[in-house]
Amino acid sequence: MKVPSDWIQQAVCNNDSKPHAWTSSKYDDIVYAKDGCSRCSVRLPCFLRAWQDDFYTGVNAGISEYDLLDLTWKEVKKQDGNNWSRTDKVLQRILQQIK
């Protein structure tokens, strides 16, 4: 899949009348943003950019920050372990949902 260099200009959220919905934590805004993302043609580069950011917020490619937390949380097997997993395997599973 070739990603256009101007993908941000092509994004549904970039041309929407409610741009705040994509960064909101309100339920109705999240539902609105996810619906907009479902019609967007540049979901893959959107999510990959958000995945690489240190501060994932709002809705990106139809994945809310709450969804991302749910998808990356894992039960700790060791007492000193980390509950969050951002491995390539987790990324591949999320990318399958976006396509």
Side-chain angles (χ1 to χ4, degrees):
M1 173 183 198
K2 183 164 171 52
V3 176
S5 59
D6 62 342
W7 70 266
I8 292 175
Q9 275 60 45
Q10 296 178 28
V12 169
C13 60
N14 192 49
N15 301 302
D16 191 74
S17 61
K18 290 176 60 175
H20 68 279
W22 274 264
T23 56
S24 175
S25 59
K26 294 181 181 177
Y27 178 78
D28 290 341
D29 289 338
I30 291 170
V31 170
Y32 177 86
K34 284 183 171 186
D35 181 58
C37 289
S38 72
R39 297 185 313 274
C40 192
S41 63
V42 291
R43 292 177 68 185
L44 181 61
C46 174
F47 180 76
L48 290 174
R49 188 211 53 189
W51 176 264
Q52 294 170 348
D53 278 349
D54 291 331
F55 187 67
Y56 190 107
T57 186
V59 176
N60 296 278
I63 307 285
S64 74
E65 60 188 292
Y66 306 110
D67 296 333
L68 185 65
L69 291 173
D70 186 45
L71 292 166
T72 59
W73 189 88
K74 65 178 181 153
E75 187 175 347
V76 172
K77 302 218 185 314
K78 300 179 200 171
Q79 191 164 12
D80 63 344
N82 184 341
N83 285 73
W84 307 105
S85 176
R86 289 178 57 118
T87 63
D88 287 344
K89 185 176 179 181
V90 170
L91 175 60
Q92 290 300 321
R93 191 173 62 237
I94 295 170
L95 292 177
Q96 287 300 315
Q97 291 181 9
I98 291 172
K99 292 181 181 180

